Amino acid sequence: MTPDQARGLSSVLVSSGSFYLLRRPTASYIEIVWSGSQAQAAYFHEKVAEIKKFFPTSAQVTHARCRSSVDQAERSALRFKVTSDRLRPLYNLFVPRGARRISSSCLELCGARAIAWLFSDHGRRTPRGFELRGVARNAEEALLLAQWMQTILGIQCRARLRSRRFTLLLDPDNAAKAAEQLLDYCPATRRHLFLQLLNDRDPVCDASDLLLPGAPRQPRTAGAPRPAVAEAAPL
């Protein structure tokens, strides 16, 4: 696997995907499975296209039946899986010592595109701003994610423990600042979410207002470039 492939797949894996180690009599393989709801089919197929761009495969999206953990109702779901020993470097990176976790080594591969997928997979607008629900398994992961987003986007967020997982909370200003910088990186089927975050703050306010606290507001002219976003460092 090339560095570009590892970086591209990691951008999706930060926010979604389950790893499995398949053992066979003669060898072992790594399998990664992504699942999505039928109601979000367009978004799921866009994610699959992103995966195939960095890991060409003949695998196709399949339909499955699953039972909700909330009300035990059976629902239709979409599933996509890839199996290959070439995925082992990513397995070793995301599943050290047999448990999936987010580490600084994972995040070093990822930039704004990975944050855009994180917002798309886990983001929810709230009356108080924006939430990234259940993105961290413990306080250490929550801190790593918050510091990572601060480094790349210059935003501030705080963590809250909910249902045994940590949720990251952003106020409207920080959510809009992130959305402004992620518009060029977000999935097309989730672009409306990022535009809504800009409108939640102020329809005439620009993200550059947040770069210099106390500075007078200066609307961005049509066609002017957006603020530069830090991308992942080369391997």
Side-chain angles (χ1 to χ4, degrees), residues 167-189:
T167 290
L168 297 181
L169 311 175
L170 290 80
D171 61 33
D173 283 345
N174 279 291
K177 183 176 181 179
E180 172 75 11
Q181 298 177 77
L182 295 175
L183 275 176
D184 293 334
Y185 301 90
C186 67
T189 50

Side-chain angles (χ1 to χ4, degrees), residues 199-220:
N199 293 332
D200 286 345
R201 181 186 62 179
D202 186 343
V204 299
C205 183
D206 185 75
S208 60
D209 295 343
L210 298 180
L211 299 180
L212 294 174
R217 179 178 300 174
Q218 297 179 351
R220 180 165 58 90

Side-chain angles (χ1 to χ4, degrees), residues 5 8-9 47-57 113:
Q5 287 179 310
L9 284 176
K47 180 183 290 187
V48 169
E50 178 86 356
I51 295 166
K52 286 187 173 184
K53 182 169 68 175
F54 295 101
F55 193 80
T57 173
R113 182 66 169 173

Side-chain angles (χ1 to χ4, degrees), residues 95-115:
V95 194
R97 298 183 295 277
R100 198 189 200 286
R101 63 188 295 265
I102 294 174
S103 65
S104 57
S105 298
C106 301
L107 299 181
E108 285 172 0
L109 290 176
C110 304
R113 182 66 169 173
I115 301 178

